[in-house]
């Protein structure tokens, strides 16, 4: 069961609902967003509870969702959700200050795997001009399989990332690995990314949920679609209604690519949830030659955006050089993607 209230609902009204839920010993979470208050209730409510609730709220406010995830369910918003992310540059005209994800326009996010230097971020941002990129991806904290591999520049990298934004109108996104760095990461970037390895780090999900900062949640390498949605539910139930899901490939028996890009999950997710869904073909493939094909397929299957690794000098990249496109290759690819977007009634 999900109970939906206007954000203007007086506290006393919400308290009446909560008193009833507690009286009947139901587990619940209250999630406040800008425009609404959602109360997720763990189980379906008995007639007695429903009758009690209907005395304090209208029946339209009761959404009978019996599945495990509630706030992320498409039943809550059958038309889908468009997430609006504010650009920090106050000088931008108001119509350019918001990036919409989940609308008609497909959003391109591109950039290096890891932040390496100011020059690297400047060069890539500059060379990506003309590719309709809205978000510069780059990580300051790197989850690496080997403890001997480059672990990221940390706080210094976050500062470089923020500096790169001064010259370009790009929003910036980066990975968070540790709940202790949340205040720092949230202060530096516009969008936080929770990587595949942390999809089920529930303390991190709760904290990023409470931060209210726009978040890209990546699918875990061995997570089912339902587990993926339950992690998104953590974010929403803890107060974050700006959640973007990202399919990035899952582990299968196949070895021709690093992971297997599960494009059917995009089609499935679009049916199950109202949240925007983007695709990261780079980490799925682990090789650059098939990235263009996967990007095109992702748009055709209904993705709302792409997250692609691009590096101006992949041979010396500190991380994931073999899967990085050159900036000019991404500019060329974006022209092809534009044609696909137009063919499916969307734009780039
Ligand atoms: C990344 O996007 O930098 C990354 C590490 O991806 P994933 O979490 O999907 O492995
Ligand atoms: Mn990478």
């Amino acid at each position: 069961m999900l109970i939906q209230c206007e954000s203007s609902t007086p506290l006393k009204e919400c308290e009446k609902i909560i008193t009833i839920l507690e009286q009947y010993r139901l587990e619940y979470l209250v999630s406040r967003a800008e425009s609404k208050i959602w109360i997720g209730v763990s189980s379906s409510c008995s007639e007695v509870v429903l009758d009690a609730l209907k005395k304090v709220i209208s029946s339209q406010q009761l959404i009978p969702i019996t599945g495990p995830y509630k706030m992320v369910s498409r039943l809550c918003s059958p038309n889908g959700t468009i997430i609006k992310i504010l650009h920090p540059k106050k000088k931008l005209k108001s119509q350019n200050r918001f990036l919409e994800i989940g609308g008609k326009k497909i959003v391109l996010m591109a950039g290096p795997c890891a932040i390496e230097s100011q020059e690297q971020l400047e060069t890539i941002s500059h060379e990506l001009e003309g590719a309709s990129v809205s978000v510069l991806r780059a990580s300051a904290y790197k989850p690496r399989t080997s403890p001997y591999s480059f672990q990221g520049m940390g706080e210094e990298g976050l500062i470089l990332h923020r500096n790169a934004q001064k010259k370009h109108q790009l929003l910036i996104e980066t990975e968070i690995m540790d709940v202790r760095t949340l205040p720092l990461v949230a202060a530096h970037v516009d969008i936080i990314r929770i990587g595949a390895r942390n999809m089920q780090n529930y303390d991190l999900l709760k904290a990023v949920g409470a931060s209210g900062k726009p978040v890209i949640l990546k699918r875990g390498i061995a997570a089912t679609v339902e587990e993926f949605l339950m992690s998104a539910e953590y974010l929403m139930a803890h107060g974050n209604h700006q959640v973007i899901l990202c399919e990035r490939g899952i582990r299968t028996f196949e070895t021709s690519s690093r992971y297997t890009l599960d494009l059917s999950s995009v089609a499935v997710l679009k049916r199950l949830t109202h949240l925007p869904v983007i695709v990261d073909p780079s980490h799925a493939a682990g090789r650059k030659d098939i990235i263009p094909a996967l990007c095109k397929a992702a748009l055709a299957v209904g993705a709302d955006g792409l997250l692609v690794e691009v590096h101006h000098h992949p041979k010396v990249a500190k991380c994931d050089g073999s899967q990085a496109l050159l900036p000019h290759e991404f500019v060329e690819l974006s022209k092809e993607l534009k044609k696909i977007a137009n063919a499916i009634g969307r734009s780039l």
Side-chain angles (χ1 to χ4, degrees):
M1 172 67 65
L2 186 74
I3 303 168
Q4 215 169 20
C5 304
E6 292 302 317
S7 54
S8 54
T9 309
L11 195 63
K12 275 202 169 157
E13 295 297 312
C14 292
E15 277 168 1
K16 281 185 198 162
I17 302 169
I18 287 163
T19 305
I20 296 170
L21 298 176
E22 290 189 346
Q23 188 186 341
Y24 290 96
R25 295 174 194 275
L26 292 164
E27 298 286 339
Y28 65 89
L29 281 167
V30 182
S31 178
R32 286 169 199 278
E34 236 172 62
S35 59
K36 55 203 162 219
I37 301 170
W38 281 354
I39 305 175
V41 187
S42 69
S43 50
S44 56
C45 300
S46 66
E47 285 301 319
V48 185
V49 179
L50 288 178
D51 286 345
L53 286 170
K54 280 179 196 163
K55 287 193 182 121
V56 295
I57 50 171
S58 73
S59 43
Q60 287 98 301
Q61 288 176 264
L62 293 167
I63 308 176
I65 301 177
T66 50
Y69 47 84
K70 300 162 198 307
M71 299 183 197
V72 305
S73 167
R74 194 150 184 113
L75 292 172
C76 295
S77 300
N79 296 328
T81 290
I82 299 178
I83 289 171
K84 295 187 176 121
I85 305 178
L86 184 68
H87 199 291
K89 268 191 189 164
K90 293 200 178 76
K91 279 188 194 147
L92 291 178
K93 287 191 189 129
S94 58
Q95 70 265 32
N96 295 335
R97 271 204 85 187
F98 285 96
L99 173 69
E100 292 193 350
I101 307 182
K104 209 172 160 208
K105 191 171 182 297
I106 286 162
V107 174
L108 298 186
M109 308 184 186
C113 179
I115 298 165
E116 297 166 13
S117 68
Q118 196 70 67
E119 185 256 333
Q120 172 220 29
L121 293 178
E122 298 291 349
T123 308
I124 295 171
S125 309
H126 177 68
E127 292 185 9
L128 279 175
E129 279 171 14
S132 309
V133 172
S134 309
V135 180
L136 177 67
R137 67 141 288 144
S139 300
Y141 300 96
K142 291 300 311 164
R144 304 303 299 276
T145 307
S146 166
Y148 303 107
S149 302
F150 176 60
Q151 302 287 309
M153 291 183 76
E155 185 173 356
E156 194 190 343
L158 292 175
I159 295 165
L160 302 184
H161 208 174
R162 179 52 93 204
N163 286 344
Q165 192 174 39
K166 289 187 186 142
K167 284 197 194 150
H168 302 271
Q169 293 198 356
L170 299 167
L171 288 172
I172 54 176
E173 70 84 73
T174 204
E175 176 159 356
I176 181 148
M177 284 174 48
D178 187 328
V179 75
R180 289 169 296 186
T181 60
L182 178 58
L184 188 67
V185 171
H188 281 82
V189 300
D190 308 304
I191 308 171
I192 292 176
R193 171 171 20 99
I194 297 181
R197 289 153 195 83
N198 275 308
M199 188 207 83
Q200 287 178 311
N201 179 340
Y202 298 117
D203 283 341
L204 186 61
L205 295 173
K206 286 180 195 172
V208 174
S211 80
K213 195 93 186 165
V215 54
I216 295 172
L217 176 67
K218 287 189 146 194
R219 181 179 179 186
I221 59 173
T224 63
V225 166
E226 185 168 301
E227 286 162 345
F228 188 20
L229 288 172
M230 290 309 291
S231 291
E233 184 81 11
Y234 260 89
L235 290 165
M236 287 198 80
H238 284 272
N240 197 332
H241 289 226
Q242 293 185 292
V243 181
I244 302 144
L245 301 174
C246 179
E247 166 61 49
R248 51 77 70 207
I250 49 173
R251 177 150 285 165
T252 68
F253 53 82
E254 182 53 63
T255 54
S256 61
S257 53
R258 191 169 165 197
Y259 296 91
T260 299
L261 185 61
D262 181 13
L263 282 177
S264 70
S265 82
V266 180
V268 170
L269 286 165
K270 292 304 273 181
R271 297 179 86 87
L272 297 179
T273 178
H274 56 92
L275 296 173
V277 182
I278 64 169
V279 167
D280 169 356
S282 305
H283 291 89
R287 47 190 273 191
K288 68 177 274 191
D289 58 337
I290 59 171
I291 304 288
L294 296 180
C295 286
K296 291 175 197 170
L299 295 203
V301 83
D304 297 299
L306 296 169
L307 179 68
V308 182
E309 284 190 346
V310 172
H311 199 286
H312 64 306
H313 202 169
K315 283 208 173 90
V316 298
K318 287 197 185 284
C319 186
D320 284 349
S322 57
Q323 67 200 32
L325 293 182
L326 289 163
H328 78 86
E329 290 170 333
F330 192 74
V331 174
E332 281 310 303
L333 173 61
S334 72
K335 293 178 192 159
E336 297 291 307
L337 297 176
K338 199 173 187 139
K339 289 185 208 156
I340 293 177
N342 293 341
I344 57 171
R346 302 185 78 166
S347 61
L348 205 68

